[in-house]
Amino acid sequence: MAHFLLPFTLSLLATLSLTYPATAKPASTSPFKLGAEKLSHFQFYWHDIQSGSNPTSISILKSPPNTPAATGFGTVNMIDDPLTEKPENSSQMLGRAQGFYGLASQEEMGLIMVMNFVFMTGRYNGSTLTVLGRNPVARKVREMPVIGGTGLFRFARGYVHASTYSLNMQTRDAVVKYNAYVLHY
Ligand SMILES: *[C@@H]1O[C@H](CO)[C@@H](O)[C@H](O)[C@H]1NC(C)=O
Ligand SMILES: *[C@@H]1O[C@H](CO)[C@@H](O)[C@H](O)[C@H]1NC(C)=O
C-alpha cells in the first residue's frame, strides 16, 4: 500500500512547506481520539473548461434578459473541474472540484463559490475539503474560507488563495492556481 501512496505525498512535499511528517499515521477512526492539530499547505491547479465537447463547467442558470449585463449577475455554473499538480491539463490529476459558482455581484465579476475538493490520489484519496467564499475574479489573489472536510480532513478549517494562471477571453476556459492552508488532525 505504501508505494502507491508515495507519489502524491512526495509531490505535495516538493511544492510545499508541509508540516505533515511523511510517516504520519492516518487520522484515528474515533472522533474522540484526535491527534495533534497540524497545518498543511497544498498547491494545485483548477481547470474550469466551458468549451469543447467535454466541458467540466456548464451554465445551469442564466440571468434574465433585462439584468444589467456587465457583471453577469445571476448566472450559475455547475462544475466538476480537474485539479492537477501542474498548470498543464496533462499533468497528474490529484482530484476534482465539484460544486457550483454564481455571479453574485452587481458591481464587479464577483463569484460565490461552493465546492468540494475531492482528492483522488495518494494518502488523501477519498478525503474532501469544502470551500465556500467570495471570489472577485479580476483581483490578483482571492481568499476564500475552507469551512470543513472529511476523511483525513475531518474538522478542517483554513483558507485558500486563488490566482488566475490563464484565461481565454473567447471560451472563458480558465486555469487557476490554488494554495490551500488547512488546519486538521
Ligand atoms: C489540454 O490543453 C490543450 C492546450 O490548451 C488543448 O488543446 C486540449 O484540448 C486540452 N485537453 C483537454 C483534455 O482538455
Ligand atoms: C482511490 O480510492 C478508490 C476508492 O477506494 C480506488 O478505487 C482508487 O483506486 C484509489 N485511487 C488511487 C490512485 O489510489
Side-chain angles (χ1 to χ4, degrees), residues 4 120-122 125-126:
F4 83 80
M120 294 171 176
T121 38
N125 187 9

Side-chain angles (χ1 to χ4, degrees), residues 1-61:
M1 188 160 147
H3 73 275
F4 83 80
L5 296 175
L6 214 51
F8 187 46
T9 310
L10 287 181
S11 70
L12 290 172
L13 284 171
T15 20
L16 323 165
S17 53
L18 262 192
T19 52
Y20 222 128
T23 54
K25 293 198 189 76
S28 162
T29 50
S30 164
F32 301 104
K33 284 185 198 153
L34 296 172
E37 194 176 41
K38 49 195 158 274
L39 176 62
S40 294
H41 171 203
F42 306 97
Q43 187 183 90
F44 45 79
Y45 292 81
W46 176 97
H47 299 254
D48 195 62
I49 309 302
Q50 305 197 35
S51 68
S53 55
N54 198 15
T56 64
S57 175
I58 56 172
S59 172
I60 56 166
L61 291 173

Side-chain angles (χ1 to χ4, degrees), residues 5-179:
L5 296 175
L6 214 51
F8 187 46
T9 310
L10 287 181
S11 70
L12 290 172
L13 284 171
T15 20
L16 323 165
S17 53
L18 262 192
T19 52
Y20 222 128
T23 54
K25 293 198 189 76
S28 162
T29 50
S30 164
F32 301 104
K33 284 185 198 153
L34 296 172
E37 194 176 41
K38 49 195 158 274
L39 176 62
S40 294
H41 171 203
F42 306 97
Q43 187 183 90
F44 45 79
Y45 292 81
W46 176 97
H47 299 254
D48 195 62
I49 309 302
Q50 305 197 35
S51 68
S53 55
N54 198 15
T56 64
S57 175
I58 56 172
S59 172
I60 56 166
L61 291 173
K62 302 261 190 219
S63 38
N66 60 350
T67 312
T71 67
F73 180 56
T75 297
V76 177
N77 272 44
M78 188 69 69
I79 63 169
D80 185 7
D81 284 348
L83 302 174
T84 61
E85 191 186 351
K86 303 255 165 59
E88 298 74 36
N89 59 14
S90 55
S91 88
Q92 197 202 348
M93 196 176 81
L94 304 178
R96 306 192 75 94
Q98 298 176 335
F100 53 89
Y101 58 77
L103 291 159
S105 169
Q106 299 186 83
E107 257 92 57
E108 60 180 336
M109 286 284 287
L111 275 56
I112 176 171
M113 311 276 301
V114 182
M115 60 183 170
N116 295 312
F117 293 146
V118 186
F119 295 100
M120 294 171 176
T121 38
R123 64 192 312 254
Y124 298 99
N125 187 9
S127 295
T128 68
L129 287 172
T130 300
V131 170
L132 195 166
R134 179 170 185 269
N135 184 3
V137 292
R139 308 218 186 139
K140 197 164 170 3
V141 180
R142 291 86 70 184
E143 182 169 319
M144 291 172 271
V146 171
I147 60 167
T150 66
L152 290 175
F153 296 122
R154 284 175 188 165
F155 298 110
R157 61 206 160 91
Y159 63 95
V160 296
H161 277 166
S163 51
T164 303
Y165 176 83
S166 66
L167 170 65
N168 182 323
M169 293 304 276
Q170 256 87 55
T171 61
R172 299 189 170 277
D173 292 350
V175 178
V176 178
K177 180 164 88 174
Y178 271 81
N179 275 292

